Amino acid sequence: VLYPFGLEVGDEATPPEDDGMSPEIFLWENFSFYGQRHRSLYVNNNGVVSFGIAVPEFTPQPFPLPGHRPFVAPYWADVDTGLGGNVYYRQSRKPELLARLARDLANAVKPSEPPPKPTWAFVATWYRVSFFGAASTKVNTFQAVLATDGATSFIILNYGDIQWTTGISNGGDAHTGLGGIPAQAGFNSGDGVHYYNIPGSRSPAVLHIGRKSNVGILGRWIFRVDEFTVTEGPPTE
């Protein structure tokens, strides 16, 4: 379910460290997120893409969060790329990526609505990332994709192999990466009203997030986020 990523497709990478993040990234296109138009973001090592402010916090919290903190959390947990893995990101207007996104996003709109035709995308990928305090080789791979035509905006969360849920600072076991306060997944618009917690977030069930979906494709979740039209499909195991 992952879109292409890595240095060979033009990605940049965050520094290999604990609680790190990218520089502020100025977007080529406005991204509309529940009435707010954002022009910059950060890719944070701890599994978060945030608008306007970096998020070094490593302890996941349920949404909605207090205060104006708009961000997308494919897998908010205590990642430590100093111990392993990479966090990649890029903006793109490449026709082949936009065409693939248009096909995939068609699953997220009603038949009566016009088919999505994104003109810009942002792809952030956490590839085989380890957790803070790890005494094991367990790693996670997941991805957040933003896509828009300048007005209609979508978030896609994709999950590859998920092997751990918790770093040791949040009560996780150094050998299993389980226990304590598990990862949070979903998004928080920052207005206190529009947010989504993927089922299983902050529970042991988040380990199996790659076996679920809201669009019938295991490991993929799609949300339209310029207005509140969260897609609730049948549960999939």
Side-chain angles (χ1 to χ4, degrees):
V1 296
L2 299 177
Y3 295 96
F5 65 90
L7 302 179
E8 63 273 17
V9 296
D11 280 356
E12 297 184 65
T14 65
E17 61 183 354
D18 183 41
D19 302 334
M21 71 280 297
S22 71
E24 185 175 13
I25 301 164
F26 293 94
L27 307 181
W28 303 340
E29 180 62 80
N30 282 313
F31 188 80
S32 180
F33 196 22
Y34 294 110
Q36 296 294 317
R37 295 171 71 82
H38 298 285
R39 288 308 301 260
S40 71
L41 56 74
Y42 295 84
V43 178
N44 305 272
N45 282 10
N46 287 332
V48 171
V49 175
S50 57
F51 298 99
I53 187 170
V55 179
E57 288 89 350
F58 55 82
T59 301
Q61 301 295 326
F63 302 144
L65 299 175
H68 181 68
R69 302 181 68 197
F71 66 71
V72 179
Y75 205 80
W76 185 12
D78 198 358
V79 172
D80 188 349
T81 55
L83 293 179
N86 292 285
V87 181
Y88 297 110
Y89 59 90
R90 76 183 182 282
Q91 301 186 68
S92 180
R93 286 195 174 114
K94 290 189 174 181
E96 57 269 30
L97 175 62
L98 296 177
R100 178 175 169 183
L101 282 166
R103 291 192 301 270
D104 293 343
L105 291 171
N107 292 321
V109 298
K110 298 175 183 176
S112 59
E113 296 176 342
K117 294 183 179 179
T119 57
W120 170 90
F122 188 90
V123 182
T125 308
W126 289 256
Y127 177 61
R128 296 184 59 82
V129 293
S130 188
F131 60 91
F132 180 73
S136 78
T137 57
K138 288 192 172 186
V139 292
N140 288 345
T141 296
F142 53 92
Q143 188 176 69
V145 182
L146 312 180
T148 187
D149 60 7
T152 305
S153 300
F154 294 88
I155 293 168
I156 304 175
L157 305 181
N158 293 322
Y159 298 92
D161 192 18
I162 300 295
Q163 301 177 358
W164 62 266
T165 65
T166 320
I168 64 169
S169 293
N170 291 323
D173 183 278
H175 297 281
T176 66
L178 305 176
I181 303 173
Q184 163 76 9
F187 62 82
N188 184 73
S189 74
D191 63 9
V193 176
H194 300 114
Y195 61 92
Y196 188 76
N197 298 295
I198 287 183
S201 290
R202 293 181 88 249
S203 82
V206 79
L207 184 67
H208 308 300
I209 196 169
R211 303 179 192 173
K212 300 179 183 297
S213 174
N214 68 341
V215 291
I217 299 172
L218 298 187
R220 173 169 290 163
W221 296 74
I222 301 180
F223 309 96
R224 180 175 172 181
V225 295
D226 56 289
E227 59 183 36
F228 193 63
T229 56
V230 165
T231 303
E232 283 285 13
T236 52
E237 295 290 348

